[in-house]
Amino acid sequence: MSPEVFAFTLTLLAGLATGVGSALAFFMRRTTPAFLATSLGFSAGVMLYVSFVEILPKSVEALEPTYPGNSASWIAVASFFGGIALIGLIDFFVPEQSNPHEFYTPENFIGRPGSEDTEFRPSKDAESKLLRLGVFTALALAIHNFPEGFATFMTGLQDPELAIPVAIAIAIHNIPEGIAVSVPIYYATGSRRRAFGLSFASGLSEPAGALIGWLLLRPFMSDTLFGVTFAGVAGIMVYISLDELLPSAERFGKHHHAMIGLIAGMAVMALSLLLLA
């Protein structure tokens, strides 16, 4: 299997995890908030650890042959914050009510926030806007996933061993997003097929982002571009972890579960890197 096919396959599987979230929403009447908080925390732990310990140093390593001395570090740091700025701008321009990460607030669920009887079912106050919410959430999710897909693809292209845990972390991150798309559409239309279809389609933006980014940048591929891209990928993943995953985990009222998941994610990532070294 060529590096391009491998990287694209990983990106496709990570993106289609939105469909897994949609299926969970349909076939699991009750989903434990503790499990969700732990899973989101785990994904954040993987992303944070791998960004600072592995991806950012690899960026500097790729830049050093062309930019000796301290210049490589300066470029890597600038690219890191550039990645944060990019995903931050996307979040800024997506309306809050259409943002898939803003759907997970306690008032949008029946049951006491943080309790084990909380259901993935919008309250009656939100029913009149469900269809619009679901459609706009799908669009917002597609916009968010575009740079994530390119990030996964580039990691797979440059470092296949590192790409597998990164893709798993992003897939975990995509599962609740798939739920956020499918739930309002299902309760607005009563159609599982329509809800699943939109959720599934929104996940295709990740492989689309990978393919378009690769086609545009392929003629310019070099160690410098890989270094800049790797640092930008690290910035995107750190932003996703701190702005989306951990706050979403906290909203379920399970702070300690989120922290256990965070530490477990870091530990698993550290162990996998040591074993693969």
Side-chain angles (χ1 to χ4, degrees):
M1 182 183 293
S2 69
E4 291 84 1
V5 172
F6 173 79
F8 184 79
T9 301
L10 276 184
T11 306
L12 178 64
L13 293 175
L16 295 184
T18 56
V20 175
S22 181
L24 285 175
F26 297 143
F27 300 111
M28 294 178 65
R29 178 174 174 78
R30 296 177 184 273
T31 305
T32 307
F35 173 77
L36 287 166
T38 304
S39 298
L40 292 171
F42 183 90
S43 183
V46 170
M47 288 190 181
L48 288 171
Y49 189 90
V50 77
S51 294
F52 288 119
V53 175
E54 191 73 9
I55 297 180
L56 200 54
K58 280 185 178 294
S59 168
V60 176
E61 183 182 322
L63 290 165
E64 280 179 337
T66 308
Y67 301 94
N70 207 30
S71 299
S73 296
W74 276 97
I75 295 172
V77 168
S79 302
F80 173 82
F81 285 103
I84 291 177
L86 172 64
I87 196 70
L89 282 173
I90 291 174
D91 255 355
F92 178 78
F93 285 110
V94 174
E96 182 174 307
Q97 64 272 21
S98 305
N99 193 322
H101 312 112
E102 300 298 335
F103 186 75
Y104 291 93
T105 54
E107 60 269 19
N108 281 339
F109 296 91
I110 290 177
R112 181 170 56 84
S115 67
E116 299 303 318
D117 62 349
T118 299
E119 297 180 25
F120 273 118
R121 184 156 62 90
S123 61
K124 289 186 179 296
D125 294 338
E127 287 180 355
S128 62
K129 298 180 180 179
L130 287 179
L131 183 58
R132 183 176 183 275
L133 173 64
V135 172
F136 273 94
T137 299
L139 292 173
L141 181 57
I143 294 170
H144 277 82
N145 282 352
F146 206 82
E148 290 177 20
F150 182 66
T152 308
F153 179 81
M154 291 299 290
T155 306
L157 202 61
Q158 183 72 358
D159 193 333
E161 291 180 348
L162 177 62
I164 293 175
V166 168
I168 292 173
I170 290 181
I172 293 172
H173 157 61
N174 284 342
I175 289 174
E177 291 186 344
I179 297 172
V181 173
S182 62
V183 166
I185 294 174
Y186 171 62
Y187 279 97
T189 66
S191 172
R192 281 187 171 90
R193 180 178 296 179
R194 186 174 180 182
F196 180 82
L198 273 175
S199 175
F200 190 82
S202 66
L204 292 177
S205 61
E206 289 208 4
L211 186 59
I212 292 173
W214 170 243
L215 291 175
L216 290 176
L217 296 177
R218 186 177 182 181
F220 311 103
M221 283 296 168
S222 63
D223 287 341
T224 298
L225 183 59
F226 271 116
V228 170
T229 302
F230 254 45
V233 166
I236 289 172
M237 292 176 68
V238 167
Y239 183 94
I240 290 170
S241 299
L242 299 181
D243 184 69
E244 300 172 7
L245 297 179
L246 290 178
S248 295
E250 289 284 345
R251 288 191 183 105
F252 287 106
K254 295 291 181 181
H255 170 76
H256 291 295
H257 287 82
M259 288 305 300
I260 290 170
L262 176 73
I263 295 169
M266 289 183 173
V268 168
M269 190 68 250
L271 182 62
S272 67
L273 290 174
L274 288 172
L275 291 175
L276 293 172

